[in-house]
Amino acid sequence: QIVRRPPPFAFALARAKPIVDKTIARLAALGAVACGSAWADSAEEKGALRAQLAAFEVELLRFKEHERVLEDRVVDLESAQRRLAYSADELKAWSISNNTAGVAANAAALADLASASDHTWLILCGAMVMFMQAGFAMVEAGACRSRNVQNILMKNLVDVCVGTLCWWAIGWTLAYGIGSGENKAFANDGQAFGTSFTEVDKNGNFTPSNTMLAWFFQWAFCSAASTIVSGGVAERVQFPGYLIFTIVMTSWIYPVIVHWTWGYGWLSGGTDYQINPTGFMDFAGSGIVHMTGGVGALIGAAVVGPRSGRFDSDENFDDPTACP
């Protein structure tokens, strides 16, 4: 006898049929409740179904509210993403702009600091060179007779006062003044009497230039070169004669020598009109300042001769009197 077995899907369908029927009945009940019909078996079941439907409606409203909130969140995130992309570009441009401005500001501040440091250093050095006048005054006052001390001190003061005026009026012009924009081999001819020492802007405001600082520093050396001669002719030159010499020294002799060397004249070397590519060698003004003043003192001493009574006779020449 052959027994025919149902196929597996039929067996599964038979097992699931009660569950399906029950589910269909519940769906029908829910539909009946939703449509206002009375398909439910009892009032309790109807109430339970209505409660379930109300709960489902509440959950549905919550889900819809969450969906709306999520949609708003998505819109906000997309907007934030666009703003972030724009802000990144803007931040990059702002950073570049601020960095550039910061670098420029730092460079300007460093330039101001370097300029202030240069000015402070040169003013200090010029003041120290200026104190050489006091040193020469003390040396010369101690090497001459007491009756001539006031005369020696007056000559040292004249070196500073008259030398300053002469260096401002003519001396700087011959040494460093560039009038036509070209440096000359023998002497220059610009910036006489302090012209072009200040700069004028478009509003007519005057501001000092670096030329004033260079003038002050070089003026101290000019006065030192001139006062060296006062010791070489001490007690032997009258005041008016020494005044004339100071004018010539600070207006012509020293400025021309400075231009030949420090002023890139024909002795400095390196250009077509200069003597050779190497030029002169000088250490701290030993040749330009001190040798110029020393040669001037030697010539002055040779012209005026020794002090009266310095050498009594030719026989006693080897035993001179220091302070006759």
Side-chain angles (χ1 to χ4, degrees):
Q1 185 179 359
I2 301 174
V3 179
R4 294 182 177 273
R5 295 181 177 178
F9 66 89
F11 180 76
L13 182 62
R15 290 284 304 272
K17 189 174 183 306
I19 300 174
V20 172
D21 293 341
K22 188 176 181 180
T23 303
I24 291 174
R26 280 191 169 277
L27 289 175
L30 288 173
V33 173
C35 297
S37 61
W39 289 1
D41 295 338
S42 64
E44 291 80 4
E45 188 175 0
K46 183 186 293 185
L49 291 174
R50 286 179 178 176
Q52 292 180 7
L53 181 60
F56 290 155
E57 289 178 350
V58 172
E59 290 294 330
L60 181 60
L61 291 176
R62 289 178 58 190
F63 289 150
K64 288 183 178 180
E65 182 67 21
H66 289 169
E67 183 181 6
R68 186 183 63 80
V69 172
L70 290 176
E71 289 177 352
D72 293 341
R73 293 279 181 87
V74 170
V75 173
D76 293 341
L77 289 175
E78 291 177 350
S79 177
Q81 184 178 7
R82 289 192 298 270
R83 289 196 305 270
L84 183 61
Y86 175 76
S87 298
D89 296 339
E90 188 179 25
L91 179 62
K92 183 178 180 181
W94 177 85
S95 177
I96 294 175
S97 175
N98 280 311
N99 286 338
T100 303
V103 170
N106 290 336
L110 289 176
D112 291 340
L113 178 61
S115 178
S117 300
D118 292 342
H119 282 63
T120 304
W121 175 247
L122 286 180
I123 290 174
L124 176 62
C125 293
M128 293 178 66
V129 174
M130 170 61 190
F131 272 104
M132 292 174 63
Q133 296 286 341
F136 282 122
M138 288 188 289
V139 169
E140 294 168 12
C144 68
R145 288 169 290 188
S146 59
R147 67 181 185 182
N148 294 318
V149 170
Q150 292 183 353
N151 183 270
I152 287 293
L153 295 179
M154 180 59 69
K155 289 177 181 177
N156 279 270
L157 183 62
V158 166
D159 289 331
V160 179
C161 298
V162 177
T164 299
L165 295 176
C166 295
W167 180 251
W168 168 75
I170 303 174
W172 173 267
T173 300
L174 299 177
Y176 296 102
I178 301 177
S180 60
E182 296 181 358
N183 205 51
K184 296 179 174 57
F186 185 80
N188 286 334
D189 56 0
Q191 297 179 329
F193 296 95
T195 57
S196 302
F197 277 19
T198 56
E199 299 174 353
V200 185
D201 58 13
K202 61 181 180 180
N203 297 323
N205 298 321
F206 289 85
T207 56
S209 64
N210 292 331
T211 306
M212 286 186 174
L213 179 64
W215 180 92
F216 170 78
F217 185 66
Q218 296 297 331
W219 156 81
F221 287 104
C222 178
S223 299
S226 176
T227 199
I228 291 174
V229 182
S230 63
V233 295
E235 299 183 312
R236 296 183 303 260
V237 174
Q238 295 182 354
F239 186 79
Y242 185 77
L243 179 62
I244 295 174
F245 161 77
T246 300
I247 295 174
V248 176
M249 183 70 171
T250 56
S251 299
W252 174 254
I253 299 174
Y254 178 79
V256 171
I257 293 175
V258 167
H259 178 74
W260 290 353
T261 51
W262 286 341
Y264 302 101
W266 65 277
L267 284 178
S268 59
T271 60
D272 295 338
Y273 58 78
Q274 293 168 351
I275 189 170
N276 56 41
T278 303
F280 81 106
M281 301 297 293
D282 180 79
F283 180 75
S286 59
I288 299 172
V289 180
H290 298 281
M291 190 176 72
T292 301
V295 170
L298 177 63
I299 298 300
V303 171
V304 300
R307 286 178 295 185
S308 180
R310 172 73 168 172
F311 305 102
D312 294 334
S313 63
D314 294 339
E315 293 79 7
N316 197 25
F317 184 81
D318 295 333
D319 188 18
T321 302
C323 293

